[in-house]
Amino acid sequence: MSTSLHHVPSPAQRARDAYRQRQTVLSVLVAAASTAAVGTLLAVAVTGAPGWERVRQTFLDPEIAREALPRVLTGLWLNVRLLVFCAVAALLLGLLIAILRTLRGPIFFPIRALAASYTYVFRGLPLIIVLYVLTLGTPGLRLQGMPSVLVLGGAALVLTYSGYLAEVFRAGIESVHPSQLAAARSLGLTYRQTVRHVVLPQAVRRVAPPLLNDIVALQKDVGLVALAGPIDAVRAAQIATAQTFNYTPYIVAGVLFVLLAIPLIAVTDRVTLRAARRQSGG
Amino acid sequence: MDALLRCRGLRKEFGGQVVLDGLDLTVAEHQVVALIGASGSGKSTLLRCVNLLEELHDGTIELDGEEISAPGVDSDWVRRRIGLVFQSYNLFPHLSVLDNVTLAPRRVHRRPRAEAEAHARELLDRVGLADKADAYPDRLSGGQQQRVAIVRALANSPRLLLLDEVTSALDPELVGEVLTMIRDLKADGMTMLLATHEMAFARDVADQVCFLDAGRVVEAGPPEQVFAAPTQPRTRQFLARIIEAGRL
């Protein structure tokens, strides 16, 4: 199989190859059969339940799904826009805070202390409270040029998530071995150049999987801005449900959320796999 | 000969343990000085102190007659003139061989990329690594990585090259290629201070051998003298153990 071009495999190798091929075919067949069996059992158990007909009508009505879809999609578009903005802003702010926490020298003590307390406060505070304070509290100040509730809600998400992301970045920065710093400094690079060209590139690569994982979590939490008024996908589904007394719009929103998450999760998996392979591959 | 590097009374402690204890050492220009001695005798610490990677607890270091250990001296500026090669190579794994070599010329010396790369390729070519320029360090053998690390230090055109047991992490059959490279550097007139466990190599390449024990230079002299007719009992003891282990 993995032999070079002109190599003729020995009978022993041919027998091994044939055996491996049989095993591969066999395992595909076994996987297909067991999947079919489990699927059938589940389908029979659910559809055979005494209340199935009622549940199907209230949760899986195709007519209502079709009617609710445009409104839920409009809400989802808000989620997507908010996600892109908040993810970029939270990643940048998180990175900045992580770097501030690694600054050395007594002159930076207040900045280090502030950055550290930031991660303590915003990882400790429940997101909903930050949201309420920003979206309902700050407009009460009646300041000039107060941004919209949507922007304030986005800011609340960025504040909370950058607290988590900063700690992930910091873990990455601290995982870079001191010998890398010594090598960079011995070449005459300043501390700042060392961080910029040697520490950060390695740190960010190493923590890319957990960072993406937090972004997947953010994808769902952006919907919480609906608590302050803007209509996201879940709120749109809730309104539709209230009008029809049917829960199908929720299922529609749920399916859309999963579809939205799949690409991001796939990227996360691929990055994680590559990082793992790098580490073991040497 | 002028002294390129002069260390006087160097003292360094780690958590109350004295690693360098009033060490004196002079390296003349174009000279190769080998530091020998048991593990923990202070060889690596001395090299790191000369590169200002460690804080001194006493003594002075002069480079080209200028005290580099004085307070307020810009240590980044000093390090640009002193290359250091580590036992474990310490190449940057996220950068290609070429980018490893050009990082300091481009960022520290502000050379244009094309110029830095041309110079780097020339240096790599001279040590037979031209075809590895675009490879990443994890694709190279230990010997190749160490040669790249030496090239990376040379790209700064240092006045002095410090080599910290650069063959200790290598498989025996890869040691030779690195030692050949150091021999060529000596022929080019590079001033080097090297810590080593390779006694045969020290005897062969060094103009001066310094035996370190408990943070001091116990014996120094031309290799013929230190290896063949050591005057200090501790040097004799150390060499006897080395011979017993079949390393000389």
Side-chain angles (χ1 to χ4, degrees), chain A residues 179-180 182-191 193 196-198 201-202 205 278 282, chain B residues 51 53 76 79-80 82 84 86 90-94 103-104 107-108 110 138 152 156:
Chain A
S179 67
Q180 287 285 313
R185 298 309 298 276
S186 82
L187 289 169
L189 270 74
T190 61
Y191 181 72
Q193 288 173 324
R196 158 95 176 69
H197 297 290
V198 174
Q202 295 187 54
R205 249 162 260 220
R278 273 245 167 127
Chain B
N51 204 225
L53 287 173
D76 295 321
R79 293 195 195 103
R80 288 167 204 186
I82 304 179
L84 173 58
F86 301 84
N90 298 6
L91 293 179
F92 305 127
H94 63 295
L103 181 65
R107 303 295 167 194
V108 176
R110 304 271 167 213
D138 62 357
R152 180 175 71 176
N156 264 351

Side-chain angles (χ1 to χ4, degrees), chain A residues 241-266:
Chain A
T241 298
Q243 286 167 347
T244 58
F245 302 105
N246 189 297
Y247 291 106
T248 308
Y250 277 131
I251 302 295
V252 172
V255 169
L256 288 176
F257 264 100
V258 172
L259 289 178
L260 190 63
I262 284 173
L264 197 52
I265 292 171

